[in-house]
C-alpha cells in the first residue's frame, strides 16, 4: 500500500481543506494523475499519484481540514494490473452460468491495462469539467502540451470539432448558421462556477429546508481572520475623489482593437489604473512603505496587488516590479494573473511580497467602496463604476 499524504503547501501554510476528490475508491489511477484537490487560504494544490495503482481508501472526506503530512488515502500499487479481477469474479455470480464464459474473460484483464495505458499523465480540473460536460474522453484528444498532455484549449477545440460534425449532419439549412454558432460551447466549458459545488455536499439542509449550513473552507476562514486583524491593527481613513475619465476612455477606444489583434490581450481600464498607481507610488514613496516595529521600511519597487473575486473567495496576487512594466506589459500580466486566480492555480510566490493593492468594485456596478487595507501594506486604492454624468 502507498500512503497518500498532504504535501508541503508553502511557507507558513500548515493546513488545507479537501476541496474535491478527483478519483473514487476503486478507481484505477496512472502515475502522476491527480487524485485530490487541496485548498489553502492562498492557493489550490493537486496531489498526484506517485505510482500507478488502485485508490483503495479515502481517509478524509471533501470539506475536511487536514494538516501537512497527514494521511488522506491509500493506493494499492499491486492491484493496478488486476483491478478488473474482482469485477469479473462477481459478474458471473448473479447471471446464469451460461453467460459467464462470454462476459467475464475478455474484458477483465484488458480493461485495467488499457485504463492505465491510455489515461493521460495529468489532467487539469478544467479538462475534466469539459470532458464531463461535453462527453469527450481526454485520452482520445491529441495533447499539444509537453509530454502529450491535454490542455483546456485542446478539449475546447475537440468540443468545437464535435459540434461542427454534428451540425454538418443536420439538414441543408443548418450549415449557414453553424459557422456563427460553433464557438457557442466555449463559455460554458470554461465556466469555473462549478468548482464551489463540492463543499455543500458535506453540509445537508436543515430539517425544515429553510436553512442550509455549510462549513467554511480554510481560505474563507483565513480571509476573514486577516481582514479582521487588519481592521484592528491598522488606522483606516477613506477619502473619495471623482476623476474625469474621458481622455483615458478615448485612448483605450483608439488602442483596444489594435492591441487585441496584434497581441491577443483585451485592453481594460485596469492597466491604466495600475500604471497610474505605480507612477504615484514612485512620487509618494511613503504610501508604498511598511511599518516594522519603530522603523519605516521604504520599498523602492512596487509589487502591485490586484484583488480578484473567484468562486473560492477573494485572493490578492501581485505583479512583481510593476513600476518597470509598460502599459501593454501590465495588461498582459494582469490578464494572466486574474485568469490563473480564477482557475485556482495561483502560486505562493504570487501571493506574497505585495506592497500596494488595487481593487475594482466598478465591475459590479458599484459607485465607490471602503475596502480594508491588505495586512502589511499602508494603503489600498478602490475604483468605482465609470459612467457619464454632468460635469461643471
Amino acid at each position: 500500500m502507498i500512503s497518500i499524504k498532504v504535501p508541503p503547501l508553502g511557507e507558513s501554510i500548515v493546513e488545507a481543506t479537501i476541496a474535491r476528490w478527483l478519483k473514487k475508491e476503486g478507481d484505477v489511477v496512472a502515475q502522476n494523475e491527480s487524485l485530490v484537490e487541496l485548498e489553502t487560504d492562498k492557493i489550490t494544490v493537486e496531489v498526484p499519484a506517485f505510482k500507478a495503482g488502485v485508490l483503495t481508501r479515502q481517509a478524509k472526506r471533501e470539506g475536511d481540514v487536514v494538516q501537512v503530512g497527514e494521511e488522506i488515502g491509500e493506493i494499492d500499487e499491486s492491484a493496478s494490473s488486476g483491478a478488473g479481477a474482482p469485477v469479473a469474479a462477481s459478474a458471473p455470480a448473479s447471471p446464469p452460468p451460461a453467460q459467464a464464459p462470454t462476459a467475464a474473460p475478455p474484458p477483465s484483464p484488458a480493461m485495467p491495462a488499457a485504463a492505465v495505458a491510455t489515461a493521460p499523465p495529468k489532467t487539469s480540473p478544467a479538462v475534466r469539467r469539459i470532458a464531463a460536460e461535453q462527453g469527450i474522453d481526454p485520452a482520445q484528444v491529441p495533447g499539444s502540451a509537453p509530454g502529450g498532455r491535454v490542455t483546456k484549449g485542446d478539449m475546447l477545440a475537440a468540443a468545437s470539432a464535435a459540434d461542427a460534425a454534428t451540425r454538418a449532419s443536420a439538414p441543408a439549412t443548418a450549415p449557414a448558421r453553424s459557422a456563427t454558432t460553433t464557438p457557442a460551447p466555449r463559455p460554458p466549458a470554461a465556466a469555473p462556477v462549478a468548482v464551489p459545488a463540492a463543499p455543500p455536499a458535506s453540509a445537508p439542509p436543515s430539517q425544515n429546508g429553510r436553512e442550509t449550513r455549510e462549513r467554511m473552507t480554510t481560505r474563507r476562514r483565513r480571509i476573514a481572520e486577516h481582514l479582521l486583524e487588519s481592521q484592528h491593527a491598522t488606522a483606516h481613513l477613506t477619502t473619495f475623489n471623482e476623476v474625469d475619465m474621458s481622455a483615458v476612455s478615448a485612448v483605450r477606444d483608439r488602442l483596444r482593437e489594435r492591441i487585441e489583434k496584434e497581441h491577443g490581450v483585451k485592453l481594460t481600464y485596469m492597466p491604466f489604473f495600475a500604471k497610474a498607481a505605480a507612477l504615484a507610488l514612485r512620487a509618494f514613496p511613503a504610501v508604498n512603505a511598511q511599518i516594522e516595529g519603530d522603523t519605516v521600511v521604504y520599498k523602492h519597487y512596487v509589487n502591485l496587488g490586484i484583488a480578484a473575486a473567484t468562486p473560492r473567495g477573494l485572493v490578492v496576487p501581485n505583479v512583481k516590479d510593476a513600476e518597470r512594466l509598460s502599459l501593454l506589459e501590465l495588461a498582459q500580466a494582469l490578464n494572466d494573473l486574474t485568469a490563473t486566480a480564477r482557475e485556482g492555480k495561483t502560486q505562493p510566490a504570487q501571493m506574497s511580497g505585495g506592497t500596494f493593492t488595487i481593487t475594482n468594485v466598478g465591475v459590479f456596478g458599484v459607485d465607490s467602496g471602503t475596502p480594508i487595507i491588505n495586512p502589511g501594506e499602508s494603503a489600498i486604492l478602490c475604483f468605482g463604476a465609470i459612467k457619464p454624468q454632468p460635469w461643471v
Side-chain angles (χ1 to χ4, degrees):
M1 290 288 183
I2 300 175
S3 179
I4 307 168
K5 295 185 178 181
V6 179
L9 301 170
E11 185 180 358
S12 75
I13 302 178
V14 297
E15 67 177 20
T17 301
I18 295 183
R20 184 170 57 145
W21 277 99
L22 306 174
K23 294 291 183 180
K24 301 186 294 293
E25 290 184 353
D27 282 357
V28 177
V29 296
Q31 186 175 1
N32 295 326
E33 190 173 9
S34 297
L35 300 172
V36 60
E37 286 183 356
L38 302 179
E39 182 181 90
T40 73
D41 57 325
K42 296 180 178 180
I43 59 173
T44 299
V45 178
E46 291 186 1
V47 180
F50 294 108
K51 289 189 177 181
V54 174
L55 180 62
T56 56
R57 184 171 71 97
Q58 294 179 354
K60 299 293 182 179
R61 297 182 302 172
E62 294 179 357
D64 287 352
V65 177
V66 293
Q67 306 294 318
V68 172
E70 185 175 355
E71 182 179 271
I72 57 176
E74 288 183 342
I75 290 179
D76 184 359
E77 59 178 329
S78 64
S80 59
S81 60
V87 179
S90 60
S94 53
Q99 297 181 2
T102 59
S108 298
M111 287 180 63
V116 174
T118 59
K122 185 175 182 180
T123 55
S124 67
V127 169
R128 289 187 289 274
R129 280 198 296 272
I130 298 173
E133 293 169 359
Q134 303 293 335
I136 299 175
D137 183 4
Q140 305 301 321
V141 178
S144 61
R149 185 170 60 86
V150 179
T151 66
K152 185 173 78 171
D154 298 331
M155 293 295 290
L156 291 175
S160 298
D163 183 72
T166 303
R167 294 176 182 274
S169 62
T173 55
R177 294 184 179 180
S178 86
T180 58
T181 55
T182 298
R186 297 176 71 94
V193 290
V195 175
S202 60
S206 61
Q207 295 180 355
N208 57 11
R210 291 166 59 88
E211 297 177 352
T212 298
R213 294 184 179 272
E214 177 183 339
R215 179 185 297 179
M216 292 179 65
T217 63
T218 300
R219 178 174 300 174
R220 291 193 181 276
R221 288 203 314 273
R222 290 292 182 267
I223 290 172
E225 291 171 2
H226 290 166
L227 295 181
L228 187 61
E229 175 188 352
S230 176
Q231 280 197 317
H232 285 313
T234 307
H236 281 67
L237 170 68
T238 304
T239 60
F240 296 87
N241 287 285
E242 290 187 347
V243 178
D244 183 1
M245 290 290 294
S246 55
V248 175
S249 296
V251 172
R252 175 176 173 266
D253 292 340
R254 178 166 54 87
L255 299 176
R256 179 171 51 182
E257 185 176 349
R258 191 181 76 184
I259 287 180
E260 186 169 359
K261 181 183 298 183
E262 295 179 0
H263 302 279
V265 177
K266 290 187 177 181
L267 186 61
T268 65
Y269 284 102
M270 185 58 77
F272 293 93
F273 298 156
K275 187 64 178 178
L279 294 174
L281 293 172
R282 181 182 297 176
F284 301 94
V287 185
N288 195 47
Q290 182 178 355
I291 296 177
E292 292 184 0
D294 58 354
T295 304
V296 179
V297 182
Y298 293 93
K299 308 292 179 68
H300 302 299
Y301 56 89
V302 178
N303 289 347
L304 192 62
I306 305 296
T310 74
R312 301 181 179 184
L314 181 71
V315 294
V316 189
N318 60 79
V319 179
K320 307 297 185 187
D321 298 317
E323 80 283 359
R324 299 181 181 181
L325 302 182
S326 66
L327 188 67
L328 176 58
E329 291 171 332
L330 278 171
Q332 293 171 327
L334 292 172
N335 282 0
D336 293 343
L337 209 63
T338 52
T340 303
R342 292 191 177 108
E343 292 176 0
K345 301 297 183 182
T346 305
Q347 299 300 312
Q350 296 173 312
M351 298 291 295
S352 60
T355 63
F356 186 81
T357 296
I358 290 178
T359 182
N360 181 14
V361 299
V363 295
F364 305 110
V366 179
D367 290 339
S368 60
T370 56
I372 300 173
I373 298 173
N374 207 23
E377 299 175 9
S378 297
I380 185 170
L381 180 61
C382 177
F383 291 98
I386 300 174
K387 57 187 180 181
Q389 65 182 35
W391 189 271
V392 178

